Amino acid sequence: MLWAGVAILCAVAFAFVTGLLNPSEKINGLWLVVAAGCFYALAYRFYGRFLATQVTNLDDGRRTPAYRLHDGTNYYPANKYILFGHHFAAIAGAGPLLGPVLAAQFGFLPGFLWIVIGAVVAGAVQDFIILVGSLRRNGRSLPEIARAEIGWVTGIATAIAVLFIVVVALAGLGLAVVNALTHNPWGTFTLVMTIPIALFMGVYLHRIRPGQVGEVSLVGIGLLVIAVIAGRYVAQSELAPWFTFDREILVWSLAGYGFLASVLPVWMLLVPRDYLSTFMKLGVVGLLAVGVVVLAPDIQMPRLTRFIQGGGPIIPGPIFPFLFITIACGAISGFHSLVSSGTTPKMIARESQALVGYGAMLLESFVGVIALIAAGLLIPGDYFAINTRLSPEALAALGFPVMRIEELSRLVEVDITGRPGGAVSLAVGMASIFSALPGMAGLMAYWYQFALLFEALFILTTIDAGTRVARYLVQELGGSFYSPLRQINWWPGVLGSSAAVVGAWGYLIATGTISTVWPMFGAANQLLGTLALCIGTTLLIKMGKARFMWVTAVPMVFVGMITLTGCYELWWIFWKQAHTSLDPVHTTTMYLNASLVGAVAILALIVLGDSLMKWYGYLIKKRPYTSTEIMEDKGIQLPSGPCC
């Protein structure tokens, strides 16, 4: 009866959101939260349990790699709450924050539907299936699984595509952090302080008071709150110049942090820092959700705008395929498959904990919903005034008059006009919700700065895990030519591969912009999601679960069609810009972008084609196949009851 009630409430909420009920009235943000929350709860309870019990048959009787290969550095059984904190912090980056905000150009309804439904049937399925597949293969990475289960052609194509996508993704995420922290001593101080706090938590939990998760959590939260509050005083004191950096220094400081996080033991810095930041992430998202429930604000953005056919001031293309590419991580993210086959499977103590892959993606999707609501609270003309550099007259001619932009700039004490990218409009929307809560009047400028800090912290925690995953990939690829590199703890290989990774994405940040890096990241990220679903389908076939292959094959086809179309559109955009640009540097950049997008699309087609041929052989021709899944011998089974 309880779940029936949740289902009815979910249906009613969706009816209001889609306009089936009261279509002429403005939708209340509360209905979006209710619809999404109920849908996620139903999905986790029923579809998630179906995947765990029927499709993958999770078994706590199996020993996980965390125990079999325990080394205290990469493999170790983590507490389930710390495991969730690490996994969520690692996957939740800029995508669910910025993508839905930018996609609001098409109206709030298309983005909302794709974020919620796409996460349940595509994104969370991908994360969970790949996590289970890696868990049962000693924590192997996605390219290594592809090579072992499908063939060397697919393995090499996947490895090259993945490495490129990771580097571009880290560059895009790092660029957002650099832009947020440039000449921002408050944000820089707070983020810097999370590093010693995390180191202290790691040592405390691993050496001083092992197993005292609640105790160290309280200490970590207290220190984080102190760091956030102290940041404002530092920014107004004589210490401010020590934390005021220009762009170039921040780029290579960030690269240095990424290097450090990728070589130290995971328990020392990466896991406790991600666990710590998760408190702030979940706390802020939860507070935003409470604010929407309490305030019940109206969504000012219409359900659909005139730009669904294309020609929008933020995203020039039509809703298909650019809505899906822009939202990216909010619904499905190929980057998640790297975390699910990177750090997380090496720390799972029991197989049942693999459901963290499904649940964490649903939570990230909810973050995307909250971001969409925050952006939708702005008057459409003000939203476009922030995210474009068009004049108020030009926006009025498009049918979106600017109304409160000067008032908003005064309230946050910053000129917010002409700041594209989504981060500023999201921060303004978040600050509007926080400052409207009881006792918060007059603090909108404080909340605006806090929101920018929140966004930067969200992104930075993905960089540390992503750099470590990329280091694993470089070692695996290099191990084909020089076998010692395959040893994950061989220090020359660790240091050299980590330096190569941070050097690559650091160079892209130093020489690139959001306009050159983010479009490639969006398309490439979705293509990687397609490849992960493709590899997941192969894993299901080899598990003897071919009758359930639809759970990965159907979303694979849909996402693949969207993304390949997007790559084609992006290739032409880059190619035309290269031909029309008068700047030689810009021309070279556009040719490079076109080449990279085309190369990734070709690699994806190679993987899909090779996989289809293998499926045809297994399912139609009934050809035999082997699996690299680890099946440990259970040993001698003694009879129950008293001994003889």
Side-chain angles (χ1 to χ4, degrees), residues 308-351:
I308 58 174
Q309 302 297 329
I314 301 174
I315 306 166
I319 192 171
F320 182 92
F322 285 93
L323 169 78
F324 306 92
I325 292 175
T326 303
I327 287 179
C329 306
I332 178 172
S333 171
F335 184 83
H336 293 186
S337 66
L338 306 182
V339 179
S340 293
S341 61
T343 52
T344 303
K346 298 176 176 64
M347 300 186 297
I348 291 180
R350 297 189 301 168
E351 275 204 352

Short mmCIF file of all heavy atoms in Angstrom, two decimals, residues 308-351:
data_model
loop_
_atom_site.label_atom_id
_atom_site.label_comp_id
_atom_site.label_asym_id
_atom_site.label_seq_id
_atom_site.Cartn_x
_atom_site.Cartn_y
_atom_site.Cartn_z
N ILE A 308 13.41 25.16 -29.58
CA ILE A 308 13.49 23.71 -29.73
C ILE A 308 13.82 23.32 -31.17
O ILE A 308 14.33 22.23 -31.43
CB ILE A 308 12.19 23.02 -29.28
CG1 ILE A 308 10.99 23.54 -30.06
CG2 ILE A 308 11.98 23.20 -27.78
CD1 ILE A 308 9.71 22.79 -29.75
N GLN A 309 13.53 24.22 -32.13
CA GLN A 309 13.87 23.95 -33.52
C GLN A 309 15.29 24.39 -33.87
O GLN A 309 15.73 24.19 -35.00
CB GLN A 309 12.87 24.65 -34.44
CG GLN A 309 11.43 24.25 -34.23
CD GLN A 309 11.19 22.78 -34.52
OE1 GLN A 309 11.86 22.18 -35.36
NE2 GLN A 309 10.25 22.18 -33.80
N GLY A 310 15.98 25.04 -32.93
CA GLY A 310 17.32 25.53 -33.19
C GLY A 310 17.36 27.05 -33.17
O GLY A 310 16.33 27.73 -33.03
N GLY A 311 18.55 27.61 -33.31
CA GLY A 311 18.72 29.06 -33.34
C GLY A 311 18.74 29.72 -31.98
O GLY A 311 18.55 30.94 -31.88
N GLY A 312 18.98 28.95 -30.91
CA GLY A 312 19.01 29.54 -29.58
C GLY A 312 20.27 30.35 -29.33
O GLY A 312 21.31 30.11 -29.95
N PRO A 313 20.21 31.33 -28.42
CA PRO A 313 21.39 32.16 -28.15
C PRO A 313 22.48 31.45 -27.34
O PRO A 313 23.62 31.90 -27.33
CB PRO A 313 20.80 33.34 -27.36
CG PRO A 313 19.57 32.79 -26.71
CD PRO A 313 19.03 31.76 -27.67
N ILE A 314 22.15 30.36 -26.65
CA ILE A 314 23.14 29.62 -25.86
C ILE A 314 23.60 28.39 -26.63
O ILE A 314 24.80 28.16 -26.81
CB ILE A 314 22.55 29.20 -24.50
CG1 ILE A 314 22.11 30.44 -23.71
CG2 ILE A 314 23.58 28.41 -23.70
CD1 ILE A 314 21.39 30.10 -22.42
N ILE A 315 22.65 27.58 -27.08
CA ILE A 315 22.95 26.37 -27.85
C ILE A 315 22.32 26.56 -29.23
O ILE A 315 21.09 26.57 -29.36
CB ILE A 315 22.35 25.12 -27.17
CG1 ILE A 315 22.83 25.03 -25.71
CG2 ILE A 315 22.73 23.86 -27.92
CD1 ILE A 315 22.06 24.07 -24.87
N PRO A 316 23.11 26.71 -30.28
CA PRO A 316 22.55 27.03 -31.60
C PRO A 316 21.77 25.91 -32.25
O PRO A 316 20.93 26.14 -33.10
CB PRO A 316 23.79 27.40 -32.43
CG PRO A 316 24.91 26.67 -31.77
CD PRO A 316 24.58 26.65 -30.31
N GLY A 317 22.03 24.66 -31.86
CA GLY A 317 21.41 23.52 -32.52
C GLY A 317 20.01 23.23 -32.02
O GLY A 317 19.54 23.79 -31.02
N PRO A 318 19.30 22.31 -32.68
CA PRO A 318 17.94 21.93 -32.27
C PRO A 318 17.96 21.04 -31.04
O PRO A 318 19.01 20.55 -30.61
CB PRO A 318 17.41 21.18 -33.49
CG PRO A 318 18.64 20.62 -34.14
CD PRO A 318 19.72 21.63 -33.92
N ILE A 319 16.78 20.80 -30.51
CA ILE A 319 16.66 20.03 -29.27
C ILE A 319 17.20 18.61 -29.45
O ILE A 319 17.75 18.03 -28.52
CB ILE A 319 15.19 20.02 -28.80
CG1 ILE A 319 15.09 19.47 -27.38
CG2 ILE A 319 14.31 19.24 -29.76
CD1 ILE A 319 13.71 19.62 -26.76
N PHE A 320 17.03 18.04 -30.64
CA PHE A 320 17.65 16.74 -30.96
C PHE A 320 18.80 17.00 -31.91
O PHE A 320 18.61 17.53 -32.99
CB PHE A 320 16.63 15.81 -31.63
CG PHE A 320 17.20 14.44 -31.93
CD1 PHE A 320 17.08 13.42 -31.01
CD2 PHE A 320 17.86 14.19 -33.12
CE1 PHE A 320 17.60 12.16 -31.28
CE2 PHE A 320 18.38 12.93 -33.40
CZ PHE A 320 18.25 11.92 -32.48
N PRO A 321 20.04 16.70 -31.55
CA PRO A 321 20.47 15.93 -30.36
C PRO A 321 21.07 16.78 -29.24
O PRO A 321 21.59 16.24 -28.28
CB PRO A 321 21.55 15.05 -30.98
CG PRO A 321 22.22 15.96 -31.97
CD PRO A 321 21.12 16.84 -32.53
N PHE A 322 21.03 18.12 -29.38
CA PHE A 322 21.86 18.95 -28.50
C PHE A 322 21.37 19.00 -27.06
O PHE A 322 22.15 19.27 -26.16
CB PHE A 322 21.99 20.36 -29.09
CG PHE A 322 22.92 20.43 -30.26
CD1 PHE A 322 22.46 20.31 -31.56
CD2 PHE A 322 24.28 20.58 -30.05
CE1 PHE A 322 23.33 20.34 -32.63
CE2 PHE A 322 25.17 20.61 -31.12
CZ PHE A 322 24.69 20.49 -32.41
N LEU A 323 20.08 18.77 -26.83
CA LEU A 323 19.61 18.71 -25.44
C LEU A 323 20.34 17.61 -24.68
O LEU A 323 20.82 17.82 -23.56
CB LEU A 323 18.10 18.44 -25.41
CG LEU A 323 17.54 18.09 -24.02
CD1 LEU A 323 17.37 19.34 -23.19
CD2 LEU A 323 16.22 17.34 -24.14
N PHE A 324 20.45 16.43 -25.29
CA PHE A 324 21.03 15.27 -24.61
C PHE A 324 22.54 15.43 -24.41
O PHE A 324 23.08 15.06 -23.38
CB PHE A 324 20.73 14.02 -25.44
CG PHE A 324 19.27 13.84 -25.75
CD1 PHE A 324 18.72 14.35 -26.91
CD2 PHE A 324 18.44 13.18 -24.86
CE1 PHE A 324 17.38 14.19 -27.19
CE2 PHE A 324 17.10 13.01 -25.13
CZ PHE A 324 16.56 13.53 -26.30
N ILE A 325 23.21 16.00 -25.40
CA ILE A 325 24.65 16.22 -25.27
C ILE A 325 24.94 17.26 -24.20
O ILE A 325 25.89 17.15 -23.43
CB ILE A 325 25.24 16.66 -26.62
CG1 ILE A 325 25.16 15.51 -27.62
CG2 ILE A 325 26.68 17.12 -26.46
CD1 ILE A 325 25.60 15.89 -29.01
N THR A 326 24.10 18.31 -24.14
CA THR A 326 24.33 19.39 -23.19
C THR A 326 24.11 18.93 -21.76
O THR A 326 24.89 19.22 -20.85
CB THR A 326 23.40 20.57 -23.51
OG1 THR A 326 23.63 20.99 -24.85
CG2 THR A 326 23.68 21.74 -22.57
N ILE A 327 23.04 18.19 -21.51
CA ILE A 327 22.75 17.70 -20.15
C ILE A 327 23.81 16.72 -19.69
O ILE A 327 24.24 16.73 -18.53
CB ILE A 327 21.35 17.07 -20.10
CG1 ILE A 327 20.29 18.17 -20.17
CG2 ILE A 327 21.17 16.24 -18.83
CD1 ILE A 327 18.88 17.68 -20.15
N ALA A 328 24.27 15.86 -20.57
CA ALA A 328 25.39 14.95 -20.31
C ALA A 328 25.18 14.16 -19.01
O ALA A 328 24.29 13.33 -18.90
CB ALA A 328 26.71 15.72 -20.30
N CYS A 329 26.01 14.46 -17.99
CA CYS A 329 26.10 13.62 -16.79
C CYS A 329 24.81 13.55 -15.99
O CYS A 329 24.65 12.65 -15.16
CB CYS A 329 27.22 14.12 -15.90
SG CYS A 329 28.81 14.27 -16.72
N GLY A 330 23.89 14.48 -16.19
CA GLY A 330 22.66 14.45 -15.42
C GLY A 330 21.80 13.24 -15.70
O GLY A 330 20.99 12.84 -14.86
N ALA A 331 21.95 12.62 -16.89
CA ALA A 331 21.15 11.45 -17.25
C ALA A 331 22.01 10.21 -17.47
O ALA A 331 21.67 9.13 -17.01
CB ALA A 331 20.33 11.75 -18.51
N ILE A 332 23.10 10.34 -18.20
CA ILE A 332 24.03 9.23 -18.41
C ILE A 332 25.40 9.82 -18.69
O ILE A 332 25.52 10.81 -19.41
CB ILE A 332 23.59 8.30 -19.56
CG1 ILE A 332 24.63 7.18 -19.75
CG2 ILE A 332 23.33 9.07 -20.84
CD1 ILE A 332 24.20 6.11 -20.73
N SER A 333 26.41 9.22 -18.10
CA SER A 333 27.77 9.73 -18.26
C SER A 333 28.72 8.56 -18.45
O SER A 333 28.82 7.69 -17.59
CB SER A 333 28.20 10.54 -17.03
OG SER A 333 29.58 10.85 -17.09
N GLY A 334 29.41 8.56 -19.58
CA GLY A 334 30.41 7.53 -19.81
C GLY A 334 31.55 7.60 -18.80
O GLY A 334 32.17 6.58 -18.47
N PHE A 335 31.81 8.81 -18.28
CA PHE A 335 32.86 8.97 -17.29
C PHE A 335 32.60 8.10 -16.06
O PHE A 335 33.53 7.59 -15.42
CB PHE A 335 32.97 10.44 -16.90
CG PHE A 335 34.09 10.74 -15.93
CD1 PHE A 335 35.38 10.92 -16.38
CD2 PHE A 335 33.85 10.83 -14.57
CE1 PHE A 335 36.42 11.19 -15.50
CE2 PHE A 335 34.87 11.10 -13.68
CZ PHE A 335 36.16 11.28 -14.15
N HIS A 336 31.32 7.91 -15.73
CA HIS A 336 30.98 7.10 -14.56
C HIS A 336 31.48 5.67 -14.70
O HIS A 336 31.83 5.02 -13.72
CB HIS A 336 29.46 7.08 -14.35
CG HIS A 336 28.89 8.40 -13.96
ND1 HIS A 336 27.57 8.58 -13.61
CD2 HIS A 336 29.46 9.63 -13.88
CE1 HIS A 336 27.35 9.85 -13.33
NE2 HIS A 336 28.49 10.50 -13.49
N SER A 337 31.46 5.16 -15.94
CA SER A 337 31.90 3.77 -16.14
C SER A 337 33.38 3.60 -15.80
O SER A 337 33.82 2.51 -15.48
CB SER A 337 31.64 3.34 -17.58
OG SER A 337 32.44 4.07 -18.50
N LEU A 338 34.14 4.70 -15.87
CA LEU A 338 35.56 4.63 -15.52
C LEU A 338 35.74 4.57 -14.01
O LEU A 338 36.64 3.89 -13.51
CB LEU A 338 36.29 5.83 -16.09
CG LEU A 338 36.12 6.05 -17.60
CD1 LEU A 338 36.95 7.25 -18.06
CD2 LEU A 338 36.50 4.80 -18.37
N VAL A 339 34.89 5.27 -13.28
CA VAL A 339 34.92 5.17 -11.82
C VAL A 339 34.42 3.80 -11.38
O VAL A 339 34.97 3.18 -10.48
CB VAL A 339 34.08 6.30 -11.18
CG1 VAL A 339 34.09 6.18 -9.66
CG2 VAL A 339 34.60 7.67 -11.60
N SER A 340 33.35 3.31 -12.05
CA SER A 340 32.79 2.01 -11.72
C SER A 340 33.74 0.87 -12.05
O SER A 340 33.56 -0.25 -11.56
CB SER A 340 31.47 1.80 -12.47
OG SER A 340 30.48 2.69 -12.00
N SER A 341 34.71 1.12 -12.92
CA SER A 341 35.72 0.10 -13.21
C SER A 341 37.11 0.58 -12.82
O SER A 341 38.11 0.09 -13.33
CB SER A 341 35.70 -0.25 -14.71
OG SER A 341 36.00 0.88 -15.50
N GLY A 342 37.16 1.55 -11.92
CA GLY A 342 38.44 2.11 -11.49
C GLY A 342 38.67 1.93 -10.00
O GLY A 342 39.12 0.87 -9.54
N THR A 343 38.34 2.94 -9.22
CA THR A 343 38.61 2.90 -7.78
C THR A 343 37.54 2.15 -6.99
O THR A 343 37.86 1.38 -6.08
CB THR A 343 38.72 4.33 -7.24
OG1 THR A 343 37.56 5.08 -7.64
CG2 THR A 343 39.97 5.01 -7.79
N THR A 344 36.26 2.34 -7.32
CA THR A 344 35.19 1.79 -6.49
C THR A 344 35.21 0.27 -6.39
O THR A 344 35.08 -0.27 -5.27
CB THR A 344 33.82 2.27 -7.00
OG1 THR A 344 33.80 3.70 -7.01
CG2 THR A 344 32.70 1.77 -6.11
N PRO A 345 35.34 -0.51 -7.49
CA PRO A 345 35.29 -1.97 -7.33
C PRO A 345 36.45 -2.53 -6.52
O PRO A 345 36.37 -3.68 -6.04
CB PRO A 345 35.34 -2.48 -8.78
CG PRO A 345 35.98 -1.39 -9.55
CD PRO A 345 35.51 -0.13 -8.89
N LYS A 346 37.49 -1.76 -6.34
CA LYS A 346 38.63 -2.21 -5.55
C LYS A 346 38.41 -2.01 -4.05
O LYS A 346 39.24 -2.41 -3.24
CB LYS A 346 39.90 -1.47 -5.99
CG LYS A 346 40.30 -1.72 -7.45
CD LYS A 346 41.49 -0.87 -7.84
CE LYS A 346 41.96 -1.17 -9.26
NZ LYS A 346 40.96 -0.83 -10.29
N MET A 347 37.29 -1.37 -3.68
CA MET A 347 37.04 -1.07 -2.27
C MET A 347 35.74 -1.67 -1.75
O MET A 347 35.37 -1.42 -0.61
CB MET A 347 37.02 0.45 -2.07
CG MET A 347 38.31 1.14 -2.45
SD MET A 347 38.32 2.90 -2.04
CE MET A 347 37.01 3.52 -3.06
N ILE A 348 35.02 -2.43 -2.54
CA ILE A 348 33.74 -3.02 -2.13
C ILE A 348 33.99 -4.25 -1.26
O ILE A 348 34.70 -5.17 -1.66
CB ILE A 348 32.89 -3.38 -3.35
CG1 ILE A 348 32.42 -2.10 -4.05
CG2 ILE A 348 31.71 -4.25 -2.96
CD1 ILE A 348 31.58 -2.35 -5.27
N ALA A 349 33.40 -4.25 -0.08
CA ALA A 349 33.62 -5.36 0.85
C ALA A 349 32.67 -6.52 0.59
O ALA A 349 33.04 -7.68 0.78
CB ALA A 349 33.44 -4.87 2.29
N ARG A 350 31.43 -6.24 0.16
CA ARG A 350 30.44 -7.28 -0.13
C ARG A 350 29.76 -6.96 -1.44
O ARG A 350 29.53 -5.79 -1.76
CB ARG A 350 29.40 -7.38 0.99
CG ARG A 350 29.98 -7.78 2.34
CD ARG A 350 28.88 -8.07 3.34
NE ARG A 350 28.00 -6.91 3.53
CZ ARG A 350 26.83 -6.96 4.17
NH1 ARG A 350 26.40 -8.10 4.65
NH2 ARG A 350 26.12 -5.87 4.31
N GLU A 351 29.40 -8.00 -2.20
CA GLU A 351 28.82 -7.77 -3.52
C GLU A 351 27.54 -6.94 -3.46
O GLU A 351 27.27 -6.15 -4.36
CB GLU A 351 28.55 -9.10 -4.24
CG GLU A 351 29.74 -9.64 -4.98
CD GLU A 351 29.33 -10.58 -6.11
OE1 GLU A 351 28.14 -10.92 -6.22
OE2 GLU A 351 30.22 -10.97 -6.90
#
